[in-house]
Amino acid sequence: SQDQGPNTVVAYLHPLDANSDVLVAGSVNRSSVDGSSVVAEYRRGFLNRNHEDISLAVHQLNMGGIALPVSAMAEQAMPMSRGMVLRYVQTRQLSDALTLTAGFEMKYLNSTSDASTSRPEIDLAYTLDPSTVLSVSYGAGGLDQPDTLLQRISDLNAFPQISLRNFHPRLEAARHAEVRLQRKLRDGSRIELAAYHDGFQD
């Protein structure tokens, strides 16, 4: 949450075996706008070349004292908005030099009315030599697998910008295309060159 009020986050990580796990995280924010979020994420094969990741984030806002028309009403007639983000990513090693990462992301909002957006994600990486990788991606918002627990629970904030058009909510739809070249240098540093194009709606 971007709100600076008191906030509580709880996360539970459970290994299923040596190569898969489940993460459940939740946050509760108490301020002028009460919010809560829950994230469930399943990873499999994260130690292998081939792996997959599926996550679901559910967000809820209780806008007490704010005069906004909404379609869902909680107890005591408190306005409420709910949002959901579903994401699936899979990586496959096609050959020693070629790696394909693909998936999709769906976002849904129930507030003054329903709004949704979805986009595919794809990244094709070609290893020219052990220190040089050429990649082409489209729609990639962050296909790299997060390494730390803090990075993984960042999905508690995973929701797009929201705007209004004719008094109806719209979710920001972003399209990202990129070509990049990464090269590791002998001193342990890395240089990266990239050309990209971003397109935004709403």
Side-chain angles (χ1 to χ4, degrees):
S1 174
Q2 299 303 314
D3 191 275
Q4 300 301 313
N7 195 47
T8 301
V9 176
V10 177
Y12 175 71
L13 179 64
H14 181 72
L16 300 177
D17 54 44
N19 209 21
S20 64
D21 63 25
V22 171
L23 170 68
V24 178
S27 69
V28 177
N29 181 41
R30 303 298 255 170
S31 62
S32 59
V33 178
D34 297 341
S36 61
S37 299
V38 177
V39 169
E41 180 189 26
Y42 168 71
R43 290 193 309 177
R44 184 176 70 175
F46 53 83
L47 298 177
N48 301 335
R49 290 173 140 188
N50 300 324
H51 50 85
E52 61 183 341
D53 189 322
I54 183 169
S55 65
L56 174 65
V58 179
H59 310 279
Q60 179 170 297
L61 287 178
N62 296 322
M63 294 169 284
I66 300 177
L68 292 177
V70 294
S71 60
M73 301 298 289
E75 295 179 2
Q76 301 174 352
M78 180 179 287
M80 179 185 299
S81 293
R82 293 188 182 95
M84 181 184 73
V85 180
L86 175 65
R87 191 162 185 267
Y88 176 77
V89 177
Q90 187 177 62
T91 298
R92 286 290 175 263
Q93 192 80 27
L94 303 180
S95 68
D96 290 339
L98 203 59
T99 303
L100 176 66
T101 302
F104 67 90
E105 185 177 67
M106 299 176 60
K107 297 177 180 178
Y108 169 78
L109 172 68
N110 172 242
S111 185
T112 54
S113 63
D114 294 344
S116 63
T117 181
S118 63
R119 70 173 179 180
E121 300 179 323
I122 188 167
D123 184 283
L124 187 63
Y126 181 71
T127 303
L128 302 174
D129 57 59
S131 62
T132 308
V133 177
L134 177 66
S135 302
V136 178
S137 61
Y138 175 79
L143 287 173
D144 294 337
Q145 185 169 288
D147 297 325
T148 69
L149 181 63
L150 286 177
Q151 289 174 319
R152 294 180 67 184
I153 66 174
S154 66
D155 278 345
L156 289 170
N157 295 325
F159 210 74
Q161 296 291 325
I162 302 170
S163 61
L164 288 176
R165 179 189 296 173
N166 297 327
F167 301 100
H168 294 286
R170 293 290 187 268
L171 302 182
E172 179 186 80
R175 296 181 305 279
H176 180 82
E178 181 176 309
V179 178
R180 65 186 178 277
L181 180 68
Q182 297 175 332
R183 182 171 178 81
K184 295 179 182 178
L185 305 180
R186 293 182 180 179
D187 62 358
S189 58
R190 183 180 69 179
I191 187 171
E192 180 174 327
L193 302 175
Y196 64 91
H197 179 269
D198 286 322
F200 298 94
Q201 289 180 324
D202 298 322

